[in-house]
Amino acid sequence: MRDPRPTGGDAEPVRAAGPEAAHARDELLAEAVREVLASTAAYGAMVHLRSRDGRSLVLRTLAGVPLSIMSPFRRVAAAGPLPVAVCFRTGRTVTLSDSEDIVRRFPQLAVGLPYDFVSACVPVGHGGERFGVLSVLWPASDDGVPDGDGGRPEAVASRLGAGLAGVAAAGQPVEPAGDAAVVELSPPTAVTTRVGLFDWDVASGALAADVQFREIFGLAPGEFDGTVRCLTGRIAPGDVPEFRAAARTALEHGEVLAARVRVLGAAGRPYPVELWARVPGAISDGGTHLVGAVLDVRALTAAAAAVERLHEGLLSLDPDGLISYVNRAAEPLLGAGAEELVGHHPWEVLPWLADPFYENRYRAALLSQQPTAFLAVRPPDGWLAFSLYPDPHGVTVRMVAAEAPPGAAEPPTALAPPAATAGAGTGGVGGTHHLLQLASALTEAVTVRDVCRAVAEEILPAFGGQELAIYGVREQRLHLVSQSGYPDGFLDGFEGTPLDARVPGAEALSTGTPIFFESVRELAAAYPGLALDEMGAWAFLPLIASGRPVGSCILGFDRAHPFTVEERGLLTGLGGFIAQALERARLYDAEFALARGLQQALLPHRLPQVPGIRTAARYLPGTQGMEIGGDWYDAIVTGDDLTLVIGDVEGHSVGAAAAMGQLRSAVRAFASGGEPPGEVLARTNRLLLDLDPGLLASCCLVRLTPADGTVRIGRAGHLPPVLRHPDGRAEALYVPGGPLLGVDDGAAYPVSELRLRPGSLLALYTDGLVEDPALAIDQGVDRLRAALAHGRAGEALEELAERLLREVGSTGRVDDVALLLTAFGTDGGVGGPGGGTDGGVGVGPDGGTDGAGAATFVGPGCDEG
């Protein structure tokens, strides 16, 4: 990640300093979310910006989406697996078409937001500098991102990136501080309330009024003479005394609020207006002056009257789920008055709606922007049917009495108050989703190193922390397992601390109670003389699994940090998850050394030396999970030929590694006997079925004849080899192949032939190299092809292998990677002329190619054409 310092570029600098720079940045963000919502069919947008330490992405601006629902994502670990983080790291747009797509590619997001919606995350940057991510949300749809919206978020993100580059060029930080800003959207309909302004000298009767004021009172241009007498002629005669009384009240008490009078409209029909006025203190004769506004509330009054006439109950919820309006028919249905309901969540004030299911229905409607309905039991009278109608401004709820569904139990006569049943301490449904989302990172961690990395890269940034220390218990003492962010040597004095020592980490563990310090003063007062670093707040979490002390987790914050009730509850719950994950990981680590030794023994220790051919191989274990899989590679001298093999047994386990060893031995034995590639694969397939390990495998086998460059390729469900020609072009060889090994004992594996020219390079690989949550697998293959095509002149084969792992491999790799490179007929470097060009041509299923200089295919049993 680049240092967030001035970048220059061609962006217009924003000349701002201090608060003005923050205002300039926030105006750019607000303009971006408004623009993307105005130019697309999306209902919500938000911007995450990188944090000062670069470890997090911080939610800074959002519109059309409640901040309460997005609270689990106010801080996202930049190294984490969420789409916002993947987009930021890779610089590529990540699009999610529906809930199934989310579950398949980003399960942690599905845990935190288990709702159906369409989204796109677009990188925000300029001139090589990456500032953050613009996220856009569309209503749930079978078609994904609506036609016509493609590319528009990218254009908005590009302009935003240029603007932020200007802020940075002015020497001001782009990184956010403070809470996220919610951008208000324009109302969904035309303004229904008109406001006119006036200044009235009561003593003289002079009245100054704006155009809107004159229009509200029906005064045509030139008809108003600037006196209050002209105005009173427009007021219904019965309301003139009320009007004068309101003026006297304002003069006596300094203001009048919402005094209502009727104005005579066309044909003498009256309509209501509201008068708001006060005595201005800045005018020397303010005691005789009134300034204020008149509100034309006809449309609102008519709408309210229409709603109140309904016999169905209606509620209006704002985007955060707070009740903003209740009609009269809703009060008896809910068993509560408007004064009890307005300003509260329904599930907080109505005990029978305290079940998290009902809050989930509201959140699902708001996130999917699709109507939804449900039944709720209301003691003691029976059932209500609720229908929810959402838009970006909130949710309208319709309620009617309903019959009990078939088989439903009788409703209880009373329920406990909501406080007894709600998820206090974890923020209800939202807090529970947040806890599960963060805990899901720990469920994917297998080794102790994985657990510590998950806490450091995902949980610590989620709370805005800068320091982390995880201690384990051994022989009744605390020993450091992992630390991040501490000054060198600071923790040395705490190594081996006894469990009964009076230090917060040990006391939290011995008492089983988390300890929170919101400032340096609090910690220093509680533990005088305790060595302190530069942090300003701390959380000490006991790690206890199955009643047994496992260790302590310490989080440090670089400034004073008031821990909310929700944060304390989340951190306490996460302490239990961390403890369980550490205990599980210790057991795994004890078994892992044996399994890893088995795997290393099964891979070749060196590759054979063949004149005119050079080879290089790489193997990387998965970054998550068992870290031991069934990927393998091999190079076998068979007479005058060299047989190249790449394969992948499904799964990550000792069983997968054992099956890999058996298959590698089988392929080596069959190939050494001179069998053609197709027969080697067929016999290996039958052997795997006979062994019946319950696993499948893919394999690609290439036999290369150095004398003339002939290559024979057989594939068993494996990804295509990638060939780089001497002129630097590269292409994926989608030659015909057979099914995976272990599926069909009668499967045939066709063989395709081609002739290599001196200077050609062939790449065999497993899917771990080209898999990426943000890309389809064929796009990953094409990325490998492009990386090969852009090789530099004289690049050594070993250097090329390392570069491919860096440029093509995903930073969030979970699968093993095997890579086998073979250069034919060259000495020294393998780079193409001038570094190569990205001009590859894919090979179709019939084996043919197009383009000058492409490899020549020779059909089975045929001479070269």
Side-chain angles (χ1 to χ4, degrees):
M1 183 173 297
R2 294 174 179 264
D3 191 305
R5 297 282 77 84
T7 58
D10 56 6
E12 182 68 24
V14 178
R15 301 300 179 188
E20 290 76 11
H23 294 327
R25 177 199 62 202
D26 292 345
E27 287 174 6
L28 289 170
L29 300 177
E31 181 182 352
V33 295
R34 287 196 182 102
E35 181 182 356
V36 78
L37 294 181
S39 62
T40 68
Y43 69 84
M46 66 197 83
V47 179
H48 284 80
L49 295 179
R50 67 191 182 195
S51 63
R52 286 186 173 87
D53 60 10
R55 299 173 62 178
S56 307
L57 296 168
V58 182
L59 180 60
R60 181 60 197 174
T61 302
L62 76 164
V65 189
L67 182 59
S68 58
I69 290 183
M70 288 297 149
S71 60
F73 305 96
R74 293 189 185 192
R75 280 186 174 269
V76 173
L82 292 175
V84 171
V86 172
C87 171
F88 181 75
R89 292 196 305 270
T90 63
R92 294 189 298 272
T93 297
V94 178
T95 302
L96 298 171
S97 58
D98 53 34
S99 57
E100 292 183 3
D101 196 18
I102 295 173
V103 170
R104 182 176 63 254
R105 296 167 58 192
F106 297 98
Q108 281 194 31
L109 177 63
V111 172
L113 284 179
Y115 310 111
D116 198 11
F117 55 90
V118 178
S119 68
C121 295
V122 184
V124 174
H126 184 78
E129 186 83 1
R130 207 167 294 153
F131 301 112
V133 175
L134 169 67
S135 301
V136 187
L137 283 72
W138 288 266
S141 165
D142 293 334
D143 303 321
V145 176
D147 293 339
D149 282 3
R152 291 180 180 175
E154 283 83 356
V156 173
S158 177
R159 287 190 288 274
L160 175 59
L164 293 176
V167 173
Q172 302 302 325
V174 173
E175 294 78 5
D179 208 348
V182 179
V183 176
E184 294 295 330
L185 300 177
S186 300
T189 58
V191 176
T192 56
T193 302
R194 292 192 298 165
V195 180
L197 304 177
F198 68 87
D199 183 344
W200 178 14
D201 186 342
V202 181
S204 67
L207 180 70
D210 65 4
V211 174
Q212 191 86 320
F213 182 97
R214 298 195 296 269
E215 290 179 352
I216 292 173
F217 277 86
L219 296 168
E223 189 176 356
F224 180 56
D225 63 3
T227 67
V228 74
R229 181 178 300 143
C230 181
L231 178 67
T232 55
R234 290 290 181 178
I235 299 176
D239 288 357
V240 172
E242 178 68 24
F243 173 72
R244 297 190 183 280
R248 287 195 302 271
T249 299
L251 291 174
E252 293 172 1
H253 299 284
E255 66 178 7
V256 63
L257 305 177
R260 181 166 291 203
V261 297
R262 292 173 299 159
V263 173
L264 297 176
R269 295 192 183 94
Y271 55 86
V273 299
E274 286 184 359
L275 181 68
W276 299 67
R278 67 178 181 86
V279 176
I283 301 178
S284 58
D285 60 344
T288 63
H289 261 272
L290 289 178
V291 295
V294 62
L295 280 65
D296 180 358
V297 294
R298 277 176 289 180
L300 287 178
T301 301
V307 172
E308 293 297 341
R309 284 191 289 269
L310 293 174
H311 295 289
E312 301 168 342
L314 287 180
L315 300 178
S316 179
L317 307 183
D318 69 11
D320 287 311
L322 298 173
I323 301 172
S324 57
Y325 175 78
V326 182
N327 75 341
R328 284 180 295 183
E331 294 181 356
L333 290 172
L334 297 175
E339 66 280 359
E340 302 172 69
L341 299 169
V342 172
H344 300 281
H345 295 107
W347 45 88
E348 290 178 346
V349 293
L350 300 171
W352 47 276
L353 286 180
D355 190 305
F357 168 82
Y358 302 117
E359 183 184 350
N360 240 344
R361 290 296 82 211
Y362 147 77
R363 295 162 68 95
L366 206 60
L367 265 295
S368 69
Q369 289 292 294
Q370 298 293 333
T372 187
F374 59 85
L375 288 174
V377 59
R378 186 209 60 192
D381 299 324
W383 295 78
L384 292 179
F386 288 78
S387 299
L388 278 59
Y389 303 93
D391 76 359
H393 302 269
V395 176
T396 296
V397 182
R398 172 179 169 269
M399 297 165 292
V400 295
E403 295 182 359
E410 287 296 319
T413 57
L415 287 177
T421 56
T426 57
V429 171
T432 300
H433 288 332
H434 193 187
L435 177 63
L436 292 175
Q437 173 220 338
L438 294 174
S440 66
L442 294 172
T443 64
E444 298 175 6
V446 177
T447 67
V448 170
R449 185 182 64 182
D450 290 341
V451 172
C452 296
R453 183 171 58 231
V455 177
E457 294 183 356
E458 299 194 42
I459 294 175
L460 182 65
F463 291 92
Q466 283 71 42
E467 286 185 349
L468 165 73
I470 296 179
Y471 283 87
V473 176
R474 190 171 68 250
E475 297 178 352
Q476 296 300 302
R477 292 179 178 271
L478 290 173
H479 297 274
L480 185 65
V481 175
S482 177
Q483 69 89 16
S484 174
Y486 278 91
D488 290 342
F490 178 80
L491 295 176
D492 292 350
F494 296 96
E495 181 63 19
T497 297
L499 294 186
D500 58 359
R502 194 176 187 285
V503 294
E507 290 197 346
L509 183 59
S510 61
T511 62
T513 304
I515 303 175
F516 299 93
F517 295 104
E518 299 185 345
S519 66
V520 176
R521 181 175 52 82
E522 286 187 10
L523 179 58
Y527 295 91
L530 184 70
L532 301 176
D533 58 4
E534 298 299 320
M535 293 295 102
W538 296 264
F540 295 86
L541 308 178
L543 305 181
I544 300 174
S546 303
R548 193 175 70 82
V550 172
S552 291
C553 178
I554 305 169
L555 307 181
F557 301 80
D558 62 358
R559 61 192 66 185
H561 183 91
F563 294 96
T564 65
V565 172
E566 180 179 349
E567 281 183 317
R568 291 172 184 250
L570 286 171
L571 287 169
T572 301
L574 284 169
F577 282 110
I578 295 170
Q580 295 287 349
L582 275 177
E583 192 73 352
R584 184 184 67 244
R586 284 176 175 174
L587 295 174
Y588 171 83
D589 283 347
E591 301 173 358
F592 177 69
L594 174 63
R596 189 61 177 273
L598 169 64
Q599 184 185 44
Q600 293 297 325
L602 294 174
L603 290 173
H605 295 285
R606 62 181 181 85
L607 297 174
Q609 301 294 320
V610 176
I613 297 176
R614 291 181 298 108
T615 56
R618 292 292 185 274
Y619 174 84
L620 292 179
T623 57
Q624 297 181 22
M626 279 287 293
E627 290 197 49
I628 176 170
D631 291 24
W632 90 92
Y633 61 88
D634 209 349
I636 309 159
V637 176
T638 51
D640 294 331
D641 299 337
L642 179 66
T643 299
L644 307 167
V645 185
I646 198 90
D648 184 1
V649 178
E650 67 172 341
H652 296 81
S653 63
V654 175
M660 175 268 282
Q662 292 173 311
L663 291 182
R664 176 175 176 253
S665 298
V667 169
R668 175 171 280 272
F670 297 147
S672 298
E675 299 280 2
E679 184 60 26
V680 172
L681 292 174
R683 294 183 65 178
T684 304
N685 174 54
R686 290 192 292 270
L687 174 64
L688 182 60
L689 286 165
D690 290 341
L691 294 172
D692 192 23
L695 298 172
L696 304 178
S698 67
C699 185
C700 181
L701 192 145
V702 176
R703 181 160 294 169
L704 171 59
T705 302
D708 58 6
T710 298
V711 168
R712 298 169 179 84
I713 304 173
R715 289 200 301 149
H718 202 82
L719 292 169
V722 176
L723 172 65
R724 188 174 73 189
H725 298 282
D727 62 3
R729 292 179 309 106
E731 57 184 319
L733 303 176
Y734 285 97
V735 298
L740 291 168
L741 303 176
V743 174
D744 178 10
D745 60 358
Y749 297 91
V751 175
S752 300
E753 294 187 8
L754 63 108
R755 187 72 49 79
L756 299 184
R757 297 183 178 184
S760 299
L761 185 142
L762 194 65
L764 305 180
Y765 54 95
T766 56
D767 55 4
L769 179 65
V770 294
E771 281 181 331
D772 190 309
L775 297 174
I777 192 68
D778 57 342
Q779 292 177 288
V781 173
D782 192 63
R783 191 166 65 183
L784 171 61
R785 180 194 63 77
L788 276 172
H790 287 110
R792 60 177 176 80
E795 184 177 34
L797 201 60
E798 297 291 336
E799 294 176 357
L800 174 61
E802 293 297 329
R803 180 171 65 84
L804 294 178
L805 293 179
R806 290 194 308 272
E807 295 182 3
V808 182
S810 170
T811 56
R813 184 185 76 253
V814 298
D815 202 358
D816 298 31
V817 171
L819 173 66
L820 180 60
L821 299 178
T822 303
F824 168 67
T826 62
D827 293 320
V830 296
T837 60
D838 187 1
V841 181
V843 181
D846 59 356
T849 67
D850 55 7
T856 303
F857 274 80
V858 182
C862 300
D863 295 330
E864 178 180 346

